[in-house]
Amino acid sequence: MGDSVALDVLEHEHDVIRKAAAGMEALAARLESGRTVDVNLLNGVVEFLRVYGRACHQRKEEDLLFPALARRGVPSVGKPLGSLTFEHLKEWAAVGALAGAIRSYAAGDRDAPARVIALLREMAHFYTDHAWNESNLLFPYAARVLTPIDQAELLAQFEIVDREIGKDVVERLARFGEKLAEEAA
Ligand SMILES: [Fe+2]
């Protein structure tokens, strides 16, 4: 077992999230070309963001990784942890706005497609940038600060998060995120 077991899990989730972000761009392009998108697929994006992005992934970072780093002396306010937590909050607000825009789209509101397009793009850019910051700046730093025992403990706690959500749910949503670009085509 490698020493970066916990960070490897988060990195894998970032891969899924990056693919889902590409899928959100593809959905936005489809709507922009005047074609319709199945409301179930759009609601699937919201579920992916809420359950996989927030309840599964961000919770592992905010509730488990960041406190573990703070215990190793990384400041919990300011950069990097305070800023990343603030970005999570902004993402969370944008998911609520997207869910609202999708409801208007489903109701046939004429202005809704433009709002759905803008929010899908905003979320896609946001997630891509945020994952880049964590993968390229935070995780290499975390890999130096955390001990192998810290990482093993985090891995066990990550397992509990997945089990609470349901491993089958997490896997289904990961596949949804990975295949979103194909579905959107
Ligand atoms: Fe992350």
Side-chain angles (χ1 to χ4, degrees), residues 36-133:
T36 56
V37 171
D38 186 343
V39 173
N40 287 327
L41 189 58
L42 292 171
N43 284 330
V45 172
V46 172
E47 186 194 16
F48 174 85
L49 294 170
R50 283 188 169 147
V51 178
Y52 193 87
R54 178 72 184 166
C56 171
H57 176 72
Q58 289 183 352
R59 195 177 144 212
K60 287 174 189 160
E61 293 178 338
E62 262 178 51
D63 293 358
L64 301 166
L65 173 68
F66 294 2
L69 290 171
R71 283 195 295 277
R72 292 289 170 207
V74 178
S76 56
V77 291
K79 283 185 192 276
L81 303 183
S83 312
L84 292 168
T85 303
F86 182 63
E87 285 180 17
H88 286 171
L89 282 173
K90 281 199 298 186
E91 282 170 10
W92 194 223
V95 174
L98 178 63
I102 291 169
R103 277 195 296 276
S104 304
Y105 179 73
D109 182 340
R110 291 177 64 86
D111 302 330
R115 270 194 294 141
V116 173
I117 291 165
L119 285 162
L120 283 170
R121 290 212 166 114
E122 185 184 319
M123 305 273 339
H125 293 171
F126 213 60
Y127 269 89
T128 307
D129 283 356
H130 180 72
W132 191 94
N133 282 337

Side-chain angles (χ1 to χ4, degrees), residues 10-27:
L10 297 176
E11 191 51 53
H12 167 70
E13 291 172 359
H14 278 178
D15 282 340
V16 173
I17 287 166
R18 274 188 278 265
K19 285 181 188 150
M24 287 186 255
E25 293 270 13
L27 282 175

